[in-house]
Amino acid sequence: MAIELPQKGNKSSMELIKEGWEKRATYDEGRLAELVEMYQELGYEVFLKSFEPIEETGCAECMKIAPEKYTTIFTRKLRASFE
């Protein structure tokens, strides 16, 4: 069964962090669906953002060659609804 990925958003990493999102990691399409599903099963909301090399603080030289192939995953705990 294929998982439906959330649409990629265009907020900056700083905006997301201010909204309570936590940057998890950057992956290519091969592992993306698997990891999104895992985070959702663990009770997290998932926000996908296009990889932006300028925002990367760690080693990302290989990803900078073809940044369009990568997506950064942000998560935050689902807020409980008591309605």
Side-chain angles (χ1 to χ4, degrees), residues 38-73:
M38 179 196 71
Y39 282 120
Q40 289 173 337
E41 287 176 356
L42 291 171
Y44 289 93
E45 290 180 85
V46 176
F47 187 95
L48 299 180
K49 182 178 180 326
S50 296
F51 173 66
E52 295 183 32
I54 197 163
E55 292 184 350
E56 189 58 46
T57 57
C59 180
E61 292 305 311
C62 58
M63 291 187 282
K64 290 177 182 179
I65 295 169
E68 69 280 357
K69 292 183 178 183
Y70 298 94
T71 301
T72 301
I73 298 173

Side-chain angles (χ1 to χ4, degrees), residues 3-14:
I3 183 169
E4 187 173 323
L5 293 175
Q7 291 290 323
K8 289 184 186 177
N10 60 359
K11 294 182 178 184
S12 74
S13 294
M14 291 306 294

